[in-house]
């Protein structure tokens, strides 16, 4: 058994002494923490924590001790929304946008998701795995301890299954906790433009049975949006996903509010993600549900589209989750601390709200509440130790610089 003790922690952040699954509304401003604290880990689990005064360890044999004077300890971030398996970057579209084209215009001329799908077609499983592996290594260093990864750049039976098999291998080999989301309904492939139904049939009748038999996904996603999938089509794909044991987690309201939120609520989605464009009715419907509203501020930052109305959501009593949306088109970054900075600066979320949104609420949005998202006895020892920093708020304040010194995953220093 391996034992680890972190002592003299200046502040141990997001401690949980009684079970909670998420924090909502005004409660999001409360971030429970202990100053001058210790934390004990055995194997891959947190086994105790408290104030330094209360530290009593009877058996010191074989305990590795880290002195964290002046440093803060956080539970790892959960990044509940990424597309980090992809074949190639798309900086040419970045330049197109600088020259005045919009995301939608670029998509119409064959760029966007279809461009990524074309590139993925000719890329081997091995190359996809190796590139994604490097991205995972990078996000670990900025504090991510659990990550959701979507398919959706295959858009053919072979392509989608290839992506999902890569994600399954990443799951097996990475020390990050990984969830797989099947996003076959990400865009309509060009050859099905005039026969959308046929592509949806392919998703349901050709892809899903293999996904079920090989255990390739946890979640099912649809890009419910004007020019992509309608709410009715979304509903159909989600129901077929549910029938093979997948839980919906979907893209809605990025550019238009067309009923995606209602399709998500109806199908008991774990989360509805994006929410840049929100009608009052969307908010009222979410209030009556258990669906986690998930916001992706680095997508707004990168595309120059409106920021989601985070303040309105929280002030209406809703919980909010933050994620990166790491993908080659709208967010080429998996940096959670930067997401926190953007949330504070552009959403006007407080640092405490941003940390709740990226830890406990993000664990909820990944179905990982029992094991991740807070410092609690029995939860997985996925955490990080900061450099010597002055306070919790310093992390989002010091945007663009990495405040993290040591990353611990499954109880081991990485
Ligand atoms: O979440 N909105 C849909 N999908 C991705 C973008 C994918 C792409 O442009 O490649 C997103 O932003
Ligand atoms: Fe996305």
């Amino acid at each position: 058994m391996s034992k680890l003790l972190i002592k003299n922690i200046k502040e141990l952040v997001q401690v949980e002494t009684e079970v909670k699954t998420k924090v909502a509304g005004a409660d999001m401003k409360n971030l429970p923490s202990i100053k001058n604290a210790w934390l004990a880990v055995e194997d891959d689990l947190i086994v105790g924590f408290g104030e330094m005064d209360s530290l009593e360890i009877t058996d010191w044999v074989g305990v590795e001790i880290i002195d964290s004077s002046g440093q803060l300890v956080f539970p790892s971030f959960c990044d509940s929304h990424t597309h980090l398996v992809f074949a190639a970057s798309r900086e040419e579209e970045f330049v197109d946008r600088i020259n005045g084209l919009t995301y939608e215009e670029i998509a119409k001329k064959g760029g966007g998701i279809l461009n990524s799908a074309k590139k993925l077609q000719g890329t081997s499983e091995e190359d996809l795995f190796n590139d994604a592996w490097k991205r995972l290594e990078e996000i670990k260093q900025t504090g991510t301890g659990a990550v959701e990864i979507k398919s959706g750049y295959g858009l053919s039976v072979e392509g989608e299954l290839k992506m999902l098999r890569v994600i399954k291998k990443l799951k097996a080999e990475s020390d990050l906790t990984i969830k797989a989301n099947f996003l076959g309904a990400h865009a309509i492939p060009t050859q099905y433009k005039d026969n959308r139904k046929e592509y949806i049939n392919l998703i349901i009748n050709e892809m899903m049975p293999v996904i079920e038999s090989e255990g390739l996904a946890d979640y099912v996603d649809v890009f419910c949006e004007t020019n992509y999938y309608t709410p009715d089509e979304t509903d159909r794909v989600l129901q077929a996903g549910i029938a093979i044991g997948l839980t919906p987690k979907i893209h809605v309201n990025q550019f238009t509010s067309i009923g995606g939120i209602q399709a998500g609520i109806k199908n008991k989605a774990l989360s509805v993600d994006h929410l840049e464009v929100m009608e009052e009715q969307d908010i009222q419907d979410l209030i009556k549900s258990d669906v986690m509203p998930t916001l992706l501020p680095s997508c707004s930052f990168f595309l120059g589209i409106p920021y989601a109305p985070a303040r309105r959501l929280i002030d209406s009593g809703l919980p909010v989750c933050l994620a990166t949306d790491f993908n080659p088109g709208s967010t080429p970054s998996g940096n959670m601390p930067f997401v926190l900075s953007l949330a504070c600066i552009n959403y006007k979320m407080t640092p405490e709200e941003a940390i709740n949104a990226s830890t406990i609420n993000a664990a909820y949005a990944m179905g990982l509440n029992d094991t991740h998202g807070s410092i609690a006895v029995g939860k997985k020892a996925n955490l990080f130790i900061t450099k010597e920093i002055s306070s919790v708020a310093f992390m989002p304040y010091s945007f663009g610089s990495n405040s993290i010194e040591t990353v611990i995953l499954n109880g081991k220093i990485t």
Side-chain angles (χ1 to χ4, degrees):
M1 182 188 288
S2 70
K3 294 185 190 177
L4 174 68
L5 173 71
I6 310 174
K7 64 175 189 176
N8 295 325
I9 302 166
K10 178 170 165 173
E11 189 166 353
L12 178 61
V13 179
Q14 189 64 296
V15 293
E16 183 183 353
T17 44
E18 57 191 73
V19 178
K20 58 180 172 193
T21 54
K22 58 183 170 185
V23 280
D27 284 344
M28 283 193 70
K29 282 204 164 65
N30 303 326
L31 182 66
S33 75
I34 302 176
K35 299 228 163 96
N36 196 22
W38 61 273
L39 171 76
V41 172
E42 271 180 24
D43 292 333
D44 62 335
L45 298 180
I46 296 168
V47 292
F49 60 87
E51 287 176 26
M52 278 307 285
D53 290 350
S54 70
L55 178 59
E56 256 176 54
I57 297 224
T58 44
D59 179 10
W60 287 91
V61 181
V63 182
E64 180 179 354
I65 298 174
I66 300 177
D67 190 324
S68 287
S69 302
Q71 299 166 289
L72 277 54
V73 171
F74 286 75
S76 295
F77 299 121
C78 297
D79 188 353
S80 68
H81 182 136
T82 82
H83 311 244
L84 67 71
V85 172
F86 54 84
S89 58
R90 297 198 333 237
E91 60 270 30
E92 62 286 358
E93 296 174 16
F94 172 63
V95 177
D96 281 347
R97 269 198 312 282
I98 294 170
N99 288 323
L101 294 188
T102 65
Y103 182 79
E104 286 119 316
E105 283 163 352
I106 292 166
K108 278 212 179 100
K109 73 174 186 115
I113 297 165
L114 295 179
N115 180 0
S116 277
K118 203 183 293 160
K119 286 177 175 155
L120 189 125
Q121 216 179 13
T123 307
S124 70
E125 230 172 279
E126 196 187 347
D127 286 348
L128 285 174
F129 177 89
N130 290 335
D131 286 349
W133 186 264
K134 287 182 211 142
R135 293 176 199 123
L136 291 181
E137 290 301 303
E138 189 182 327
I139 66 172
K140 267 197 250 178
Q141 297 317 315
T142 47
T144 298
V147 61
E148 180 253 33
I149 310 175
K150 300 171 195 295
S151 67
Y153 292 131
L155 303 182
S156 66
V157 178
E158 314 77 64
E160 284 299 307
L161 295 176
K162 177 161 72 174
M163 284 192 82
L164 289 168
R165 288 181 184 128
V166 168
I167 300 170
K168 188 174 180 179
K169 190 154 175 248
L170 293 168
K171 246 190 205 190
E173 296 189 20
S174 174
D175 46 9
L176 286 158
T177 305
I178 296 176
K179 293 278 191 174
N181 196 346
F182 170 51
L183 178 54
H186 196 187
I188 308 276
T190 317
Q191 67 271 36
Y192 293 98
K193 206 163 55 100
D194 301 317
N195 194 355
R196 313 161 59 92
K197 211 168 165 191
E198 201 181 316
Y199 180 64
I200 297 171
N201 287 342
L202 208 64
I203 291 177
I204 295 173
N205 301 327
E206 305 292 329
M207 301 183 199
M208 285 192 177
V210 186
I211 291 169
E212 184 182 23
S213 67
E214 291 186 28
L216 292 177
D218 305 289
Y219 302 123
V220 57
D221 197 345
V222 178
F223 188 16
C224 182
E225 185 56 67
T226 308
N227 296 328
Y228 293 85
Y229 290 84
T230 67
D232 282 346
E233 290 167 339
T234 301
D235 188 52
R236 196 172 158 229
V237 174
L238 296 186
Q239 290 197 13
I242 292 167
I244 62 158
L246 308 180
T247 304
K249 256 175 87 63
I250 62 175
H251 284 77
V252 301
N253 294 48
Q254 182 175 1
F255 301 106
T256 51
S257 170
I258 56 169
I261 288 183
Q262 290 69 21
I265 294 171
K266 175 178 169 226
N267 289 291
K268 298 198 165 38
L270 198 48
S271 69
V272 285
D273 303 22
H274 270 291
L275 315 186
E276 284 86 348
V277 176
M278 292 291 278
E279 301 293 340
E280 186 53 31
Q281 192 59 48
D282 295 327
I283 295 179
Q284 292 311 319
D285 290 343
L286 278 173
I287 289 171
K288 289 180 244 131
S289 79
D290 289 322
V291 180
M292 178 60 70
T294 296
L295 311 183
L296 313 165
S298 39
C299 175
S300 295
F301 172 78
F302 188 73
L303 292 184
I305 62 172
Y307 281 87
R311 234 2 322 141
R312 233 172 97 211
L313 302 185
I314 297 171
D315 295 342
S316 306
L318 283 167
V320 155
C321 163
L322 291 169
T324 64
D325 200 14
F326 194 178
N327 76 75
S330 73
T331 322
S333 159
N335 189 311
M336 284 297 287
F338 184 58
V339 164
L340 265 63
S341 296
L342 288 176
C344 293
I345 296 161
N346 292 296
Y347 291 158
K348 306 289 178 214
M349 286 171 70
T350 66
E352 291 77 13
E353 287 174 327
I355 290 159
N356 275 318
S358 53
T359 56
I360 189 138
N361 284 357
Y364 179 95
M366 293 183 71
L368 287 174
N369 263 105
D370 293 343
T371 49
H372 293 67
S374 68
I375 302 291
V377 170
K379 279 197 178 181
K380 201 164 255 309
N382 280 13
L383 39 107
F384 61 82
I385 307 172
T386 67
K387 295 175 181 160
E388 288 195 23
I389 62 172
S390 40
S391 69
V392 166
F394 183 84
M395 178 130 65
Y397 153 86
S398 61
F399 79 92
S401 68
N402 190 4
S403 302
I404 297 171
E405 185 168 285
T406 306
V407 171
I408 296 176
L409 294 176
N410 308 305
K412 291 192 187 62
I413 298 170
T414 64

